[in-house]
Amino acid sequence: MGKFSLRDLETGRKIVWCPGCGNFPILAALKRALIELNLRREDVVLITGIGCHGRMSEYVNVNTFHTIHGRVLPLATGIKLANPNLVVIGHSGDGDAYAIGLGHLPHAARRNIDVKLIVHNNMVFGLTTGQVTPTTPKGVKTRSTPYGNPENPLNPLIIALASGATFVARGFSGDVMHLKELIKEAIKHRGFAMLDILQPCVTFYNTYQYFRERIYKLEETNHNPKDYWEAMKRAMEWGNKIPIGIFYRVEKPVFYEEFKHAMNPPPALRKLSKVDLTKLYTMFM
Ligand SMILES: Cc1ncc(C[n+]2csc(CCOP(=O)(O)OP(=O)(O)O)c2C)c(N)n1
Ligand code: SF4
Ligand SMILES: [Mg+2]
């Protein structure tokens, strides 16, 4: 039995996502994962970016921060470094994480900041009514590419792997139980974890059927998540078959262990009585 129930996680806020949106299973999977991990609600911090996915912070009754567009990772980094006892989970969109916020991803990965980045990858800007993003497949007609997207999409898993991420996974909104397990594994991982979720936007880019016909699970193959080059190879696979599951998972020292001189104790855990502000005051006098 967890330390809180599904009812404790309710906020009472009206859910405004379109009926059938792929965000619903992500919300359900996250709540179940938090309960099954037996965490304390006060230890969980949920940070969201701007977009339809951003509503997550209004629908889960834990510590939340709805930040500005693209800045989920800087905020998550600051919170985790201030208090490493917290479980810091960022929810971002493909626009949020891979367009305006892309600069932050390689750095969080290479530093092995112990935060989780869960990307609701619906391959469009959902909230602003369906424009092209860096993950929209080539040729797809969107609100901003009425003749078809002329660009090649980027591959977020390859970026995470190439940058040194220690946990890289992909889930699908159409399989909520599998998704719940992936979220649990990402949260349990000690280090930077990126979970990209194929999240159909039923209003502007409904990919449910497309993915249902193509996805397969890595754990049902002989895939070894400790093998970096095997992970890279699987991450490149995109066509008639699309893998989901854990691509890569290894243990490495996390950032605050490498940064001990500034983290002893971490800022949020320092005794306020020991802080001498005299020098700071005199600077401004
Ligand atoms: C700095 C800034 N630029 C642009 C916007 C406008 N804007 C709001 S949501 C959004 C796109 C969101 O797309 P995504 O991150 O994929 O989230 P989704 O709505 O698909 O969940 C944009 C461009 C903004 N809010 N702030
Ligand atoms: S616009 Fe798309 S992503 Fe946004 S709530 Fe509607 S279906 Fe979901
Ligand atoms: Mg999006």
Side-chain angles (χ1 to χ4, degrees):
M1 189 62 195
K3 290 193 169 72
F4 48 84
S5 67
L6 215 45
R7 184 175 291 188
D8 294 324
L9 288 179
E10 297 298 333
T11 60
R13 295 298 295 266
K14 185 172 176 239
I15 298 191
V16 295
W17 289 325
C18 311
C21 171
N23 280 319
F24 283 99
I26 304 178
L27 177 63
L30 175 76
K31 285 181 172 178
R32 280 273 163 218
L34 293 178
I35 291 169
E36 289 180 21
L37 285 174
N38 207 20
L39 301 169
R40 296 189 322 157
R41 207 152 46 118
E42 57 268 40
D43 290 340
V44 180
V45 186
L46 198 74
I47 301 158
T48 60
I50 300 295
C52 297
H53 66 275
R55 293 269 172 186
M56 291 283 286
S57 53
E58 291 177 37
Y59 303 152
V60 190
N61 194 9
V62 291
N63 302 296
T64 59
F65 200 130
H66 197 161
T67 187
I68 54 173
H69 198 26
R71 308 301 169 220
V72 168
L73 280 176
L75 202 79
T77 301
I79 292 172
K80 186 69 186 179
L81 292 188
N83 185 353
N85 296 337
L86 298 173
V87 177
V88 182
I89 306 167
H91 281 261
S92 198
D94 46 314
D96 199 74
Y98 305 144
I100 191 169
L102 183 66
H104 304 298
L105 174 58
H107 303 297
R110 76 186 171 86
R111 292 173 181 143
N112 204 22
I113 306 282
D114 189 10
V115 300
K116 323 299 148 200
L117 180 68
I118 298 179
V119 184
H120 300 215
N121 185 359
N122 54 15
M123 302 171 177
V124 281
F125 286 162
L127 190 69
T128 48
T129 68
Q131 295 82 6
V132 74
T133 74
T135 54
T136 311
K138 192 168 186 176
V140 169
K141 288 183 182 168
T142 70
R143 275 285 185 79
S144 58
T145 56
Y147 303 106
N149 177 18
E151 300 175 3
N152 290 309
L154 61 74
N155 183 328
L157 272 58
I158 293 288
I159 292 175
L161 285 166
S163 309
T166 49
F167 182 103
V168 178
R170 182 193 283 137
F172 173 46
S173 287
D175 191 338
V176 68
M177 294 313 276
H178 186 251
L179 195 52
K180 177 197 72 178
E181 291 306 320
L182 288 178
I183 293 176
K184 278 167 70 180
E185 292 307 312
I187 294 175
K188 282 195 289 184
H189 177 71
R190 209 165 168 279
F192 181 72
M194 191 185 88
L195 170 59
D196 181 82
I197 302 175
L198 304 173
Q199 177 248 310
C201 164
V202 292
T203 303
F204 297 110
Y205 189 37
N206 190 348
T207 49
Y208 266 119
Q209 196 186 340
Y210 181 88
F211 287 128
R212 275 214 175 93
E213 287 167 0
R214 288 166 176 80
I215 58 165
Y216 74 93
K217 291 178 181 152
L218 286 173
E219 61 272 25
E220 292 171 2
T221 69
N222 61 357
H223 178 65
N224 173 11
K226 287 195 178 126
D227 185 329
Y228 181 77
W229 293 110
E230 182 63 20
M232 277 285 203
K233 221 164 91 187
R234 295 275 185 182
M236 289 296 289
E237 197 178 351
W238 188 271
N240 288 339
K241 293 184 94 196
I242 297 173
I244 59 171
I246 299 173
F247 287 67
Y248 191 59
R249 173 165 53 185
V250 287
E251 288 287 323
K252 285 194 182 157
V254 296
F255 185 71
Y256 50 78
E257 288 169 346
E258 308 281 10
F259 198 49
K260 278 199 187 98
H261 62 280
M263 298 295 291
N264 192 19
L269 304 180
R270 284 177 201 160
K271 285 217 167 65
L272 283 179
S273 59
K274 287 197 178 153
V275 178
D276 182 5
L277 294 176
T278 323
K279 260 194 194 161
L280 194 66
Y281 287 145
T282 46
M283 271 171 67
F284 294 101
M285 278 168 75

